[in-house]
Amino acid sequence: MGEKVVAGSFDLSDRQRHRDKLRQCLTVLERLLKEKRFDRPKNLMGLEIELNLAGPDGLPRMMNAEVLQRIASRDFQTELAMFNLEVNIAPHRLGGRVFDRLAEELRTSLAYAHRKASEVDAGIVMIGILPTLGQDDLVSANLSAVDRYALLNDQIVAARGEDFPLDIDGVERLVCRSGSIAPEAACTSVQLHLQVTPGRFADVWNAAQVVAAPQVAVGANSPFLFGHELWRESRPPLFQQSTDTRPPELQAQGVRPRTWFGERWVTSAYDLFEENLRFFPPLLPICDDEDPAAVLNAGGVPRLAELVLHNGTVYRWNRPVYDIADGVPHLRVENRVLPAGPTVTDVVANAAFYYGLVRALAEESRPVWTRMPFEAAAANFDAACKHGIEARLMWPRRGRHGGTTEVDAVTLVRDELLPLASAGLDAWGIEPADRDLYLGVIEDRCRLRMNGAAWQAATFHRALEKGLGRDAALAATTRRYGELMHLGDPVHTWPVGLLEPVPLG
């Protein structure tokens, strides 16, 4: 959420006043869009990565406050649970050798954080879901000691009115319940930001929705939760179920979940902010003193604080963002589909694939989203999450006959999407060396059918075959993952299996 929120209770008047302010904010946003008050394009990208803390045994360490105190950098912040951190990289202009610079910054930041964490017998693990997390780790007592997290938990629990059931049927099936939103903290992701003009927003957002499935297929890295092997990317179903304010009756009525892929292509950023108000009751009805219309009438830039806070509690996989920088408002598309890790090289390769592909698709004369139903994009996303790099996706047929056909994700990426991403990176002005290096990582993953999830699952099963119990196999897989992650070679080059000796008897 990123907002300073003070814990407290809300009464009926708070909610009505907040709803009124939200409507005012939406009206002012509509005026800002019509009057073209937004920043000119600067080709700016941004990056956030959520991280896990684990000990030398591979088990989670509930000590983000101590680690952050030692890191002592504004680039690192708390996240939802005590075993989480987040690192924020300053915005970069797309062009030149930006991806190499980004990779070097990330390596330096993560190595420093890992050294500081080691002072308290912990370490940084960049992974979608830490395989060694147990149900006892994901309880409200382990939420970070930050008011906004406690308040958000209280409001979602109150809206739900009962425990949160988790039911994920994958390679194995997990069925359990939680009395808090703490299981959401298991989901550690990469968020890719792209600043866009209002006129370009819809094309970029629609393109991002289309590419969400291929992104996940090649980037999946979250196959385990609570000792169970589930989907290749288990974060989306876990995130949706652990934040679901709808009891079964509202689900049966078709009420939308707060963690949401969406249900239509859009024509404006306004469409998404308006949907957020129309479909989702505010969780945090905190009112700001600003009169946004008066600020705008006086020639100022309104913060739209209520709209921004509400937007942060609707968990779209591609989220619209309104923000102000240097006194000028701007819009961003925040892409939230990717898991963290496995390595810095893999993260940057995923970013290069995304930024190149979105640029190319958004500029096509006959955009792909005009040739496929939105429902196909949503179904593709689910298929990619379930099956990862082995997924089959629906995609528009080439040629004049139209319609869609089913294709292997790796075939789609290698034959059609990587050339588009390459052209998109050229359009951004990316140096060929950066383009070829990082898109080459994606191509090699497809050639070998090996990403983070595939490596984790294969290594876990090798450990079982050697006689380790499930918990020991998951811990050993996590330790080996951490070693290879810090060595830094991309995941498709990692040898499957464990180096450490297996105890006899």
Side-chain angles (χ1 to χ4, degrees), residues 49-54 106-107 109-115 123-128 130 188 221 340-347 452 455-456 477-491 493-495:
I49 308 176
E50 295 162 351
L51 307 164
N52 291 277
L53 293 172
L106 280 171
R107 288 189 189 100
S109 294
L110 293 180
Y112 173 72
H114 189 61
R115 286 197 304 274
I124 301 294
V125 182
M126 187 166 57
I127 193 168
L130 193 67
T188 42
N221 196 31
T343 66
V344 167
T345 298
D346 288 301
V347 168
W455 183 90
Q456 287 186 58
T477 298
T478 303
R479 291 193 294 271
R480 181 63 175 147
Y481 178 104
E483 293 166 2
L484 293 167
M485 183 205 95
H486 287 290
L487 287 175
D489 292 329
V491 71
T493 69
W494 292 6

Side-chain angles (χ1 to χ4, degrees), residues 378-391:
N380 283 347
F381 183 64
D382 282 348
C385 291
K386 287 178 182 175
H387 304 295
I389 208 156
E390 301 296 338

Side-chain angles (χ1 to χ4, degrees), residues 145-381:
V146 177
D147 280 348
R148 71 176 182 269
Y149 297 137
L151 185 56
L152 185 64
N153 178 66
D154 291 347
Q155 294 300 305
I156 291 179
V157 169
R160 173 85 191 190
E162 58 190 65
D163 284 350
F164 298 84
L166 303 181
D167 186 347
I168 305 173
D169 193 4
V171 177
E172 300 170 318
R173 187 175 183 184
L174 170 69
V175 179
C176 63
R177 304 184 76 82
S178 173
S180 75
I181 66 169
E184 186 233 305
C187 307
T188 42
S189 64
V190 171
Q191 286 121 44
L192 301 173
H193 291 256
L194 179 61
Q195 183 179 335
V196 293
T197 60
R200 295 270 293 158
F201 182 94
D203 286 345
V204 171
W205 187 85
N206 290 336
Q209 290 287 92
V210 167
V211 306
Q215 279 183 280
V216 171
V218 297
N221 196 31
S222 315
F224 297 107
L225 177 67
F226 298 164
H228 292 67
E229 185 178 355
L230 302 173
W231 294 10
R232 284 303 182 246
E233 187 52 48
S234 303
R235 287 168 39 257
L238 173 59
F239 205 118
Q240 177 174 325
Q241 294 178 25
S242 62
T243 59
D244 199 343
T245 56
R246 308 168 303 161
E249 296 81 4
L250 292 184
Q251 295 181 35
Q253 293 172 35
V255 173
R256 285 85 172 167
R258 294 191 85 96
T259 301
W260 198 36
F261 188 80
E263 62 189 20
R264 61 173 176 143
W265 307 119
V266 302
T267 59
S268 165
Y270 179 86
D271 294 349
L272 299 175
F273 288 102
E274 188 275 334
E275 278 186 350
N276 287 355
L277 268 64
R278 183 156 43 97
F279 293 152
F280 303 107
L283 290 174
L284 302 172
I286 300 165
C287 286
D288 189 72
D289 293 335
E290 177 187 73
D291 180 337
V295 171
L296 186 59
N297 290 337
V301 178
R303 294 188 300 273
L304 306 184
E306 292 83 5
L307 190 75
V308 169
L309 182 57
H310 181 57
N311 188 57
T313 64
V314 179
Y315 305 104
R316 295 178 182 271
W317 294 110
N318 284 293
R319 176 190 275 166
V321 176
Y322 170 89
D323 203 355
I324 300 169
D326 301 323
V328 183
H330 68 260
L331 292 172
R332 300 196 303 270
V333 174
E334 180 189 13
N335 176 259
R336 301 158 47 80
V337 307
L338 287 167
T343 66
V344 167
T345 298
D346 288 301
V347 168
V348 175
N350 290 340
F353 181 56
Y354 169 75
Y355 287 116
L357 194 49
V358 163
R359 173 72 184 255
L361 290 177
E363 294 184 347
E364 283 190 318
S365 58
R366 192 169 167 236
V368 64
W369 57 89
T370 66
R371 296 181 283 129
M372 66 186 290
F374 189 91
E375 293 76 12
N380 283 347
F381 183 64

